[in-house]
Amino acid sequence: MIATLLPMLLAAQAEAAPKESKLTIAGDAGSFWFPPEASNHAGGVDSLYFFIYWVSVVSFVIIVALMVFFIFRYRKTATRTRADKGSSHHNVLEIGWTIPPLLVSVVLFYVGTVGYTDMRTPPPDTYDIRVRAQKWAWEFEYPGGYKDTALHVPSKTPVRLVMSSQDVIHSLWIPAFRVKQDVVPGRYSEMWFEATQEGTFGLLCTEYCGTKHSDMLTEVVVQPQPEFENWLKNRIEETNDLPPEKAGELLVKARCVACHSSDGSAGIAPTMKGLWGKHRVFVSGATAQAEENYIRESILNPAAKVVQGYDPVMPTFQGQLKEDEIDNIIAYIKTLK
Ligand SMILES: [Cu+2]
């Protein structure tokens, strides 16, 4: 069994391994246990965590020590063959094991509630970034309409993420910020934080959302306010005067590469290389040639014609891609000879 499974597993892994790993959960420094504390929430979360941790360590030591002591103290001997008669009541003991644990629970409850309320209540004037999750990519839209696959934020500024999902439940997690929030279809969820440390940190999906769930990872880039504004201004200018096929390439890289390759390599969807003008055969037995209307329909209504040999897992991009964006994608596909 193992002998047949192992080569298969290794082969699958080699195929799935990305060319270069994007995974930088921790960013720069951090402790042995934890990534760096890079947001306003991180300090509080960590202190509460370590408080619980040390309470557990102390309780563990006390309980195990008493247990070992009792095992020897009250063991069966030649003269003691029955259990001693115990006392039925002991005030000091009972107060001792009731009041201190109660106090610890009250502290945990209080600190936990205050911290949670803080994390759930954004300050009044946040910088808002729109987040869209879709199998299997993140999209961040900045004020002004520029979209990126990475999250850029100004440091020392309260930032609010307004998040939604196009398909299933995803969950946005930034370990270095100690924030995590589910992203649910059909509603907005929000999260806020203030980045306190400049640098690049990891951002990932922590709700299993299908085959390529583990590819839903990207970066958070924290820059000082002026640098951030400069970056955004440049990106907006650059993308405004891109030729159509370049703009299309950016869209495909952001939204389609999780499933479609553009270099001919196989995946869960047909590659886009050589697609233009190709003769397509569908599950229904019908055929068509890949031209503008076919590609447009494939993007807006993927279930209409399902390519033979593939599962109908492509989400619709109806309402998400504008007409000119679809034009740009088609222009890009034409270049992939
Ligand atoms: Cu996901």
Side-chain angles (χ1 to χ4, degrees), residues 133-138 167-171 204-210 212-214 216:
Q134 183 171 32
K135 288 181 193 172
W136 289 286
W138 296 105
D167 38 45
V168 297
I169 302 180
H170 300 271
S171 185
L204 46 158
C205 179
T206 54
E207 183 70 54
Y208 180 70
C209 55
K212 298 226 167 179
H213 160 67
S214 56
M216 276 186 82

Side-chain angles (χ1 to χ4, degrees), residues 172-188:
L172 187 143
W173 182 32
I174 309 173
F177 291 2
R178 310 292 192 274
V179 289
K180 177 155 84 170
Q181 177 66 45
D182 276 9
V183 184
V184 182
R187 60 184 290 182
Y188 297 114

Side-chain angles (χ1 to χ4, degrees), residues 18 20-27 175 201-204 214 217-219:
E20 110 201 35
S21 172
K22 295 185 280 179
L23 191 62
T24 45
I25 293 187
F201 308 96
L203 180 158
L204 46 158
S214 56
L217 45 95
T218 178
E219 284 176 337

Side-chain angles (χ1 to χ4, degrees), residues 15 135-136 210-212 256-261 265-271 309-314:
E15 201 178 300
K135 288 181 193 172
W136 289 286
T211 317
K212 298 226 167 179
C256 326
V257 286
C259 305
H260 293 274
S261 78
S265 53
I268 70 166
T271 179
Y310 294 92
D311 294 325
V313 294
M314 177 165 159

Side-chain angles (χ1 to χ4, degrees), residues 46-303:
D46 287 6
S47 351
L48 188 57
Y49 175 89
F50 281 112
F51 179 65
I52 298 176
Y53 173 81
W54 283 112
V55 166
S56 311
V57 169
V58 171
S59 323
F60 176 80
V61 169
I62 294 177
I63 291 170
V64 173
L66 278 176
M67 193 179 73
V68 172
F69 172 70
F70 289 152
I71 287 174
F72 285 100
R73 174 72 178 72
Y74 297 109
R75 74 188 188 283
K76 186 178 169 187
T77 61
T79 52
R80 193 198 296 118
T81 53
R82 315 184 55 157
D84 293 345
K85 194 170 181 310
S87 54
S88 69
H89 196 80
H90 194 297
N91 275 341
V92 176
L93 261 185
E94 290 197 13
I95 290 171
W97 68 46
T98 309
I99 304 296
L102 178 72
L103 289 180
V104 169
S105 319
V106 168
V107 169
L108 285 182
F109 177 76
Y110 178 76
V111 180
T113 310
V114 169
Y116 177 77
T117 315
D118 257 10
M119 290 176 107
R120 299 304 308 151
T121 320
D125 34 43
T126 48
Y127 183 80
D128 290 2
I129 298 174
R130 189 69 180 76
V131 181
R132 294 187 195 87
Q134 183 171 32
K135 288 181 193 172
W136 289 286
W138 296 105
E139 182 184 78
F140 303 96
E141 184 181 327
Y142 299 85
Y146 171 68
K147 296 173 185 164
D148 203 295
T149 52
L151 175 60
H152 287 246
V153 295
S155 63
K156 305 193 177 59
T157 307
V159 171
R160 188 170 73 111
L161 305 184
V162 181
M163 313 187 285
S164 65
S165 165
Q166 324 272 19
D167 38 45
V168 297
I169 302 180
H170 300 271
S171 185
L172 187 143
W173 182 32
I174 309 173
F177 291 2
R178 310 292 192 274
V179 289
K180 177 155 84 170
Q181 177 66 45
D182 276 9
V183 184
V184 182
R187 60 184 290 182
Y188 297 114
S189 49
E190 65 169 12
M191 156 196 288
W192 84 276
F193 53 76
E194 193 175 317
T196 52
Q197 195 176 315
E198 277 140 31
T200 305
F201 308 96
L203 180 158
L204 46 158
C205 179
T206 54
E207 183 70 54
Y208 180 70
C209 55
T211 317
K212 298 226 167 179
H213 160 67
S214 56
D215 278 3
M216 276 186 82
L217 45 95
T218 178
E219 284 176 337
V220 186
V221 181
V222 183
Q223 292 167 308
Q225 181 84 39
E227 262 174 56
F228 168 80
E229 271 162 20
N230 238 336
W231 168 84
L232 188 56
K233 199 169 122 267
N234 289 339
R235 295 305 297 146
I236 292 174
E237 277 165 18
E238 279 167 31
T239 42
N240 277 350
D241 38 53
L242 276 181
E245 63 276 6
K246 278 279 156 214
E249 180 175 359
L250 287 182
L251 279 169
V252 167
K253 291 236 160 85
R255 309 299 295 275
C256 326
V257 286
C259 305
H260 293 274
S261 78
S262 51
D263 61 1
S265 53
I268 70 166
T271 179
M272 287 186 176
K273 189 182 161 89
L275 172 63
W276 183 253
K278 214 181 190 175
H279 181 72
R280 312 306 290 139
V281 182
F282 307 113
V283 173
S284 62
T287 61
Q289 199 188 3
E291 37 68 63
E292 279 94 351
N293 279 315
Y294 168 68
I295 294 178
R296 189 185 138 80
E297 185 188 37
S298 296
I299 296 172
L300 297 178
N301 185 10

